[in-house]
């Protein structure tokens, strides 16, 4: 019989695994959104993509039941739509169905308070810290001529955004019980955004195997496939190291966000 992992190391491994999972979620979102937004935003596409990925990552970290419900809604909408119309289903149809169902769930379902407390603030913190971390990279490229490869970019963004996120949120005032006035609305909106991303992401992936010309989202997904594996590994490793070190040095505030 092998010896069990010592008890004092278990929280470190769990924290490292959670942050590594956030890196796995963050990476494809950032790469695809950067590619998708580049024609419209140019050099600022990375900041917008990092903000969006940071906000969604924050939902998975600080409001897990809500984020998982949103993923289930988005996946379900995509599967049903593709079963009816095929992989070339229009993105606006998927998005509309996911948003309407998400808003209904936000008003009808009461999620555990600890998991969804201040979900709007958490997502906003993820948006701001993600944009700030990407802004540092943009400034380094513009003023110092330092341009990092995609794996290094993702490793930096995941670790720095994560540390900034938990650092910022620990200073927020704690609500003294109960649900906020706009909790239903904020939950519905957050669920809707994640559900839209999940639905269109699944449809884009299914479009790779469809017969005929790929849709716009599928084309973007195909363009990032070359850099995705290395970037994914780097982000997962950086997330695991950052989360594990925070637990090793016993920053108890990491548990309060």
């Amino acid at each position: 019989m092998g010896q069990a992992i010592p008890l004092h190391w278990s929280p470190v491994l769990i924290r490292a695994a959670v942050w590594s999972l956030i890196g796995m979620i963050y990476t494809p979102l950032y790469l695809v959104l950067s590619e998708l937004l580049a024609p419209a935003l140019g050099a600022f596409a990375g900041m917008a993509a990092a903000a969006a990925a940071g906000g969604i990552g924050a939902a998975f970290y600080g409001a897990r039941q809500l984020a998982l419900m949103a993923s289930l809604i988005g996946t379900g909408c995509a599967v049903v739509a593709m079963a009816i119309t095929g992989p070339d289903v229009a993105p606006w149809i998927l998005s509309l169905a996911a948003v309407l169902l998400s808003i209904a769930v936000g008003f009808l379902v009461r999620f555990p308070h600890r998991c969804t407390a201040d979900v709007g603030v958490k997502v906003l913190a993820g948006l701001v810290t993600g944009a700030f971390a990407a802004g540092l990279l943009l400034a380094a490229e513009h003023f110092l001529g330092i341009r990092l490869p995609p794996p290094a970019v993702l490793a930096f963004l995941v670790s720095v955004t994560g540390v900034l996120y938990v650092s910022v949120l620990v200073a927020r005032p704690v609500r003294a019980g109960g649900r906020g006035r706009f909790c239903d609305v904020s939950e519905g909106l957050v669920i809707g955004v994640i559900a839209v991303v999940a639905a269109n992401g699944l449809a884009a992936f299914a479009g790779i195997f469809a017969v005929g010309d790929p849709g716009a989202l599928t084309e973007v997904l195909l363009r990032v496939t070359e850099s995705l594996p290395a970037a994914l590994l780097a982000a997962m490793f950086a997330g695991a190291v950052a989360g594990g070190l925070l637990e090793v040095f016993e920053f108890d505030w990491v548990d309060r966000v």
Side-chain angles (χ1 to χ4, degrees):
M1 296 289 292
Q3 186 177 5
I5 296 174
L7 185 61
H8 66 280
W9 282 110
S10 295
V12 176
L13 295 177
I14 292 172
R15 183 72 61 188
V18 170
W19 280 53
S20 181
L21 177 62
I22 299 302
M24 185 178 69
I25 295 169
Y26 188 105
T27 302
L29 281 173
Y30 174 81
L31 291 177
V32 171
L33 288 174
S34 295
E35 188 75 20
L36 194 63
L37 296 174
L41 300 181
F44 295 99
M47 288 185 63
I56 292 176
F60 276 94
Y61 187 73
R64 290 174 290 280
Q65 283 95 336
L66 184 148
L68 291 173
M69 173 64 78
S71 301
L72 178 62
I73 291 172
T75 301
C77 289
V79 170
V80 171
M82 288 189 295
I84 296 174
T85 65
D88 57 346
V89 57
W92 72 268
I93 295 178
L94 274 181
S95 301
L96 180 60
V99 166
L100 292 178
L101 186 56
S102 298
I103 292 175
V105 170
F107 277 94
L108 297 176
V109 178
R110 291 293 179 265
F111 293 91
H113 179 69
R114 179 187 177 278
C115 191
T116 59
D118 298 325
V119 61
V121 175
K122 291 177 179 179
V123 171
L124 180 61
L127 289 169
V128 173
T129 54
F132 178 77
L136 294 177
L137 291 177
L138 183 62
E141 180 180 352
H142 182 74
F143 294 108
L144 303 176
I146 300 174
R147 184 179 180 87
L148 300 178
V153 169
L154 268 301
F156 178 86
L157 288 177
V158 169
S159 56
V160 172
T161 300
V163 173
L164 289 175
Y165 168 79
V166 295
S167 303
V168 168
L169 277 189
V170 73
R172 80 191 190 281
V174 179
R175 191 187 303 279
R179 292 168 61 84
R181 181 182 301 177
F182 302 106
C183 189
D184 293 334
V185 176
S186 61
E187 284 181 350
L189 290 175
V190 172
I191 293 173
V193 171
I194 299 176
V196 167
V197 171
N200 285 285
L202 180 59
F205 180 77
I208 297 175
F209 307 99
V211 177
D213 296 331
L217 290 177
T218 300
E219 288 183 351
V220 172
L221 186 60
L222 288 171
R223 287 200 296 270
V224 304
T225 51
E226 184 176 351
S227 58
L228 180 60
L232 192 61
L233 289 174
M236 292 176 67
F237 178 76
V241 171
L245 286 176
L246 289 175
E247 195 70 42
V248 166
F249 289 103
E250 298 181 346
F251 292 108
D252 62 339
W253 39 265
V254 178
D255 291 312
R256 304 204 301 270
V257 296

